[in-house]
């Protein structure tokens, strides 16, 4: 017998002593029941396949991450994985899953200030991944083509490339910065947006509980939340995208259809043809966000002129940062080899400073007991990541920043080898350059063409 449920037909289980064949058919039908529908009184409140939990665990394991308030690491979780996963599935299916507090970790931003991160427990990350697997296929296809953050098939490089191309056409940019976005996300609007894309009661139930899960500070005190979502939760980026889809993306399409933009989570660039249009659109966006319970940062939000060799108007702001890249006037060459000044992205000053700081923290000059191969093992994975991300646009700027690693290596060689100690460090630099030219695959740094400069 079938009856209407929340998302489709629900199969009622046989009660009593039915015939064996009928009972078998009933159990088979129950197993085929769609995810999330309510079932009979003798079953779980929600039919959530165990395979969803297993797949969620695999995704959380691949992303690794720190321990939550319970101190349990992923490795510790794996010692009793089968029972742990069953417990998560059982509580989710019965409706009795309540997320624990989220551990607050404060990290320094590259540009100064503090970024609060909320670290859920390993089990809670798995539970969030279960809901994300169900919700994401429904909402992601509805998102705007120029929304790039935390989406399948989208990347930061795609957003930077699109912004670069549009900066060649549009003279003005609105560099938007939403003040404390993840900390101030209105719960009511997020839940309303989720409800528009799913009727599954357990998805809406657990999203609401995650939004209100308390924050635990380093001193052990807990703080309840009536707004915001932890920046660090598995479900948080999807909820942020869903909120901004309605708060900004669709609103801009409807009210300012000729104004293109790129958005990566809450990092957003809007392109305009004139300063007057930019100021008008900015005022409208500020009013729109205020109506949605958010506000723009008063000093970080700016109207920027894309000044280059052919656009020579004067303006207070002629550069902006987007996803770790600074857009500004830079010399370049066209296809015919002619030099011109274009408005182009390259590694930002903050990112460059963070790289130099990371190299300094390796303390290579104190590792004189280690070989060059040991240093390669230490540095190669990180250097590859830097070059793959920051070297995509205006590669030479990233290569120039990474010369500081060659500088650290030359100091290491100067201290390690007695033959170099009495002379100047320039001798060690020349030796390192010869090694790099002879064996360019020894270090990822050299593989990417960043070899020691003999002029040092």
């Amino acid at each position: 017998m079938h009856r209407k449920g929340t998302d489709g037909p629900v199969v009622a289980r046989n009660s009593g002593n039915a015939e064996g064949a009928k009972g078998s058919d009933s159990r088979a039908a129950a197993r085929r029941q769609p995810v999330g529908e309510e079932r009979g009184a003798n079953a779980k409140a929600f039919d959530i396949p165990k395979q969803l939990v297993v797949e969620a665990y695999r995704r959380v394991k691949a992303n690794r991450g720190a321990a939550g308030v319970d101190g349990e690491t992923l490795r510790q979780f794996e010692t009793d994985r089968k029972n742990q996963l069953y417990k998560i599935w059982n509580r989710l299916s019965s409706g009795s899953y309540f997320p624990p507090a989220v551990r607050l970790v404060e990290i320094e931003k590259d540009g100064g200030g503090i970024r609060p991160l909320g670290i859920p427990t390993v089990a809670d990350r798995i539970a969030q991944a279960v809901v994300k697997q169900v919700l994401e296929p429904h909402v992601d296809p509805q998102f705007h083509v120029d929304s790039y953050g935390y989406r399948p098939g989208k990347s930061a490089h795609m957003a930077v490339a699109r912004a670069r191309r549009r900066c060649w056409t549009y003279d003005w940019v609105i560099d938007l910065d939403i003040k404390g976005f993840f900390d101030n996300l209105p719960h009511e609007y997020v839940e309303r947006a989720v409800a528009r894309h799913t009727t599954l009661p357990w998805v809406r139930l657990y999203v609401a509980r995650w939004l209100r899960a308390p924050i635990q500070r380093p001193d052990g005190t807990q703080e309840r939340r009536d707004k915001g979502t932890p920046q660090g939760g598995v479900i948080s980026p999807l909820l942020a995208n869903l909120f901004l889809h309605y708060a900004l993306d669709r609103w801009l399409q409807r009210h300012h259809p000729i104004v293109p933009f790129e958005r990566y989570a809450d990092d957003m660039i809007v392109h305009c043809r004139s300063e007057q249009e930019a100021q008008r659109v900015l005022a409208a966006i500020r009013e729109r966000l205020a109506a949605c319970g958010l506000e723009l940062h008063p000093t970080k939000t700016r109207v920027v002129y894309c000044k280059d060799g052919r656009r020579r108007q004067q303006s207070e702001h002629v550069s902006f940062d987007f996803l770790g890249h600074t857009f500004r006037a830079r010399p370049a060459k066209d296809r015919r080899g002619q030099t011109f000044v274009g408005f182009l992205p390259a590694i930002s000053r903050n990112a460059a400073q963070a790289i130099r700081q990371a190299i300094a923290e390796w303390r290579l000059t104190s590792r004189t007991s280690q070989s060059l191969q040991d240093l390669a093992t230490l540095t190669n994975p990180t250097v590859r990541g830097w070059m793959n991300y920051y070297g995509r646009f205006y590669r030479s700027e990233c290569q120039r920043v990474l010369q500081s690693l060659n500088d650290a290596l030359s100091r290491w060689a100067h201290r390690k080898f007695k033959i170099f100690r009495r002379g100047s460090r320039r001798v060690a630099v020349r030796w390192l350059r010869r090694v790099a030219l002879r064996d360019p695959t020894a270090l990822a740094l050299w593989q990417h063409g960043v070899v020691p400069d003999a002029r040092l």
Side-chain angles (χ1 to χ4, degrees), residues 90-367:
N90 188 45
R91 290 179 177 176
L92 286 174
S93 299
S94 65
S96 63
Y97 181 82
F98 287 89
V102 178
R103 182 168 69 92
L104 178 65
V105 177
E106 296 180 333
I107 62 173
E108 294 184 4
K109 294 183 180 180
D110 291 342
I114 298 296
R115 183 189 305 278
L117 292 181
I119 310 298
T121 64
V122 174
D124 196 40
R125 294 205 293 273
I126 294 171
Q128 290 187 33
V130 170
V131 173
K132 182 182 178 183
Q133 287 179 86
V134 174
L135 182 60
E136 188 171 54
H138 294 285
V139 300
D140 189 81
Q142 309 301 321
F143 290 161
H144 194 279
V145 66
D146 284 317
S147 169
Y148 297 91
Y150 309 107
R151 294 185 58 194
K154 299 280 189 175
S155 70
H157 282 153
M158 294 170 67
V160 174
R162 183 62 64 89
R164 178 185 61 173
R165 192 174 303 113
R166 284 175 172 158
C167 284
W168 297 341
T169 304
Y170 294 84
D171 293 353
W172 294 85
V173 157
I174 306 173
D175 181 12
L176 292 175
D177 188 286
I178 302 176
K179 187 176 180 181
F181 172 71
F182 280 92
D183 295 333
N184 295 292
L185 205 61
H187 290 172
E188 177 188 356
Y189 295 141
V190 174
E191 292 178 58
R192 191 183 303 174
V194 170
R196 292 190 65 170
H197 292 274
T198 181
T199 57
L200 298 178
W202 62 277
V203 171
R204 301 199 304 271
L205 172 69
Y206 292 127
V207 165
R209 288 180 182 176
W210 279 312
L211 287 173
R212 290 166 178 78
I215 289 288
Q216 181 167 307
R217 298 190 173 277
D219 61 3
T221 60
Q222 292 191 3
E223 177 183 319
R224 296 216 165 260
R225 294 182 292 123
D226 56 6
K227 60 182 179 179
T229 182
Q231 190 172 357
V234 173
I235 197 73
S236 295
L238 182 61
L239 299 181
N241 272 333
L242 185 57
F243 173 85
L244 288 173
H245 170 70
Y246 289 106
L248 276 180
D249 299 356
R250 284 188 55 176
W251 177 84
L252 279 171
Q253 276 187 299
R254 187 165 56 250
H255 295 279
H256 302 277
I258 64 171
V259 176
F261 64 87
E262 298 84 36
R263 182 175 64 78
Y264 194 96
D266 61 324
D267 203 349
M268 190 169 186
I269 300 298
V270 181
H271 302 268
C272 299
R273 296 190 179 277
S274 67
E275 183 177 13
Q276 293 75 19
E277 181 184 48
Q279 294 291 355
R280 185 171 62 253
V281 172
L282 175 57
I285 291 174
R286 182 177 283 112
E287 184 177 344
R288 168 64 177 176
L289 287 177
C292 295
L294 296 172
E295 63 175 311
L296 293 175
H297 197 286
T299 58
K300 294 181 180 180
T301 298
R302 305 181 302 171
V303 172
V304 178
Y305 180 53
C306 302
K307 187 174 183 178
D308 58 16
R310 61 184 177 83
R311 296 180 287 203
R312 302 181 180 181
Q313 182 177 326
Q314 297 300 314
S315 178
E316 179 182 2
H317 303 295
V318 292
S319 69
F320 66 88
D321 285 2
F322 184 50
L323 301 178
H325 296 78
T326 297
F327 285 69
R328 65 170 177 83
R330 302 178 190 277
K333 289 185 178 181
D334 60 21
R335 295 178 181 178
R336 296 173 296 179
Q338 300 295 318
T339 301
F340 70 99
V341 177
F343 195 79
L344 301 169
I347 182 173
S348 69
R349 178 180 297 179
N350 289 337
Q353 183 178 348
I355 287 176
R356 294 189 181 101
Q357 179 64 30
I359 292 172
E361 290 175 356
W362 280 333
R363 301 184 182 277
L364 299 185
T365 53
S366 65
R367 297 176 181 267

Side-chain angles (χ1 to χ4, degrees), residues 409-437:
L409 288 169
S410 68
R411 291 198 299 272
W412 164 83
H414 189 254
R415 292 188 60 182
K416 179 178 178 65
F417 301 109
K418 293 181 179 180
I419 192 173
F420 298 145
R421 291 178 188 172
R422 295 183 180 180
S424 68
R425 190 162 57 88
R426 188 172 300 176
V427 178
V429 173
R430 291 171 179 167
W431 169 82
L432 195 65
R433 179 178 174 83
R434 290 195 299 271
V435 174
L437 295 177

